[in-house]
Amino acid sequence: MQPTIAAAIRGALMERDVRTKVMTTRKVARDWQRGKLAFAFDVEMPETPGRPDAPELLMPGRMPKRRKGGSERGRIALWHALAHIEFVAIDLALDMAGRFGAAMGRQFVSDFLKVAADEAMHFALLDRHLRTSGSHYGALPAHDGLWSAAHETRHDVAARLAVVPMVLEARGLDVTPMTIDRVRAAGDERGAQILERILDDEIAHVRFGANHFADCAERMGEQAGELWKSLVSRYFHGQVKPPFNDSARLAAGLSRDLYTALA
């Protein structure tokens, strides 16, 4: 009997070992592409994914402030924070496909498994870069607020799409070019190239979210822009704020009129 996509995704989500989660996620995406997994949702997704013993996860208010400037400690803290974002993004994409795939269909599953595989690759690149600096993922504490957006929108695919790809990931489009410039100015060309690769992929990830959100709005008989503003106001507890990378956002399917209305 063919294994199911839901069981495969849940297995990857529950994996606690960092390296194994990366490899398992990429295998799930490959197996799905090759038709080795049945389109069946016979198990539920976990409320919380498997987490490694390290890093220690802290609430935002308890996180140590990163020092500005070009110190070695500051550079390691930056790369560690970026690696943690990509590690949590693996689980966000897996959960999106596994939790909502039955209702949203095969293309939705394919798109978000591709996102999960990309995030796994991004994490591996960042962790390897950390190791060249004499550190590794888990060496510093990390932010525990990233999964909360997934938890709060676990019953509503439109809300999940509105907040995770179209707000949180879209914010990455805004800040990454400035980080690339800073990293390159510090002489870290390899780091800059990694971030450029991530930025290109994240544009596609936000576009997946925007396209599937538009489909949701159409199914619901709602105007996509008004629905997005309503859901973000309800479920996103931060601010949608400039500066915006308008060209990257437009390439990802986000019009300026949409997000400036909430800025």
Side-chain angles (χ1 to χ4, degrees):
M1 186 174 176
Q2 196 175 36
T4 68
I5 184 60
I9 290 173
R10 182 183 171 88
L13 276 167
M14 293 306 296
E15 180 55 58
R16 297 182 68 240
D17 179 76
V18 171
R19 178 174 170 77
T20 306
K21 185 186 284 282
V22 167
M23 301 303 292
T24 302
T25 298
R26 298 179 74 174
K27 183 178 187 303
V28 171
R30 285 195 307 273
D31 286 350
W32 170 252
Q33 290 175 337
R34 295 170 180 172
K36 295 182 177 181
L37 299 170
F39 184 73
F41 294 81
D42 52 341
V43 296
E44 294 184 356
M45 296 301 108
E47 290 293 296
T48 304
R51 300 240 171 99
D53 294 333
E56 178 188 8
L57 298 179
L58 303 176
M59 291 308 295
R62 293 187 57 212
M63 282 294 293
K65 298 293 185 184
R66 283 212 306 269
R67 296 181 181 178
K68 297 199 180 284
S71 70
E72 184 66 18
R73 180 182 295 182
R75 286 193 291 271
I76 288 173
L78 169 67
W79 291 110
H80 193 278
L82 294 172
H84 181 64
I85 290 168
E86 297 297 326
F87 187 75
V88 177
I90 300 170
D91 288 331
L92 290 172
L94 287 170
D95 188 78
M96 183 85 84
R99 189 173 298 273
F100 303 115
M104 295 296 290
R106 288 178 176 272
Q107 188 59 51
F108 183 91
V109 173
S110 296
D111 287 346
F112 283 100
L113 285 184
K114 183 185 185 316
V115 173
D118 286 349
E119 306 293 18
M121 183 267 292
H122 297 167
F123 170 79
L125 290 172
L126 291 167
D127 185 45
R128 189 180 308 148
H129 198 59
L130 258 178
R131 290 176 185 277
T132 66
S133 301
S135 188
H136 63 277
Y137 179 62
L140 299 174
H143 193 305
D144 195 30
L146 296 172
W147 183 253
S148 61
H151 185 73
E152 290 188 21
T153 58
R154 63 195 182 280
H155 303 306
D156 187 339
V157 64
R160 175 72 66 85
L161 290 165
V163 171
V164 175
M166 298 176 71
V167 173
L168 298 179
E169 289 193 85
R171 185 60 180 158
L173 306 184
D174 303 331
V175 302
T176 302
M178 292 179 283
T179 307
I180 291 170
D181 290 343
R182 194 163 85 239
V183 166
R184 183 164 275 135
D188 186 357
E189 182 60 30
R190 175 58 181 156
Q193 290 174 355
I194 291 170
L195 293 179
E196 286 172 342
R197 168 66 187 272
I198 290 173
L199 178 60
D200 287 345
D201 289 342
E202 295 296 346
I203 290 172
H205 299 174
V206 176
R207 190 186 311 117
F208 286 151
N211 289 345
H212 287 293
F213 182 81
D215 290 344
C216 280
E218 185 174 354
R219 293 186 194 184
M220 297 166 68
E222 300 273 3
Q223 198 279 326
E226 293 305 311
L227 179 62
W228 181 78
K229 285 182 279 187
S230 172
L231 291 170
V232 171
S233 297
R234 179 177 179 184
Y235 289 104
F236 181 61
H237 306 303
Q239 292 181 310
V240 178
K241 58 185 179 180
F244 298 116
N245 184 346
D246 292 326
S247 60
R249 282 173 171 259
L250 184 61
L254 303 180
S255 72
R256 183 172 173 78
D257 290 343
L258 179 73
Y259 50 85
T260 54
L262 286 182

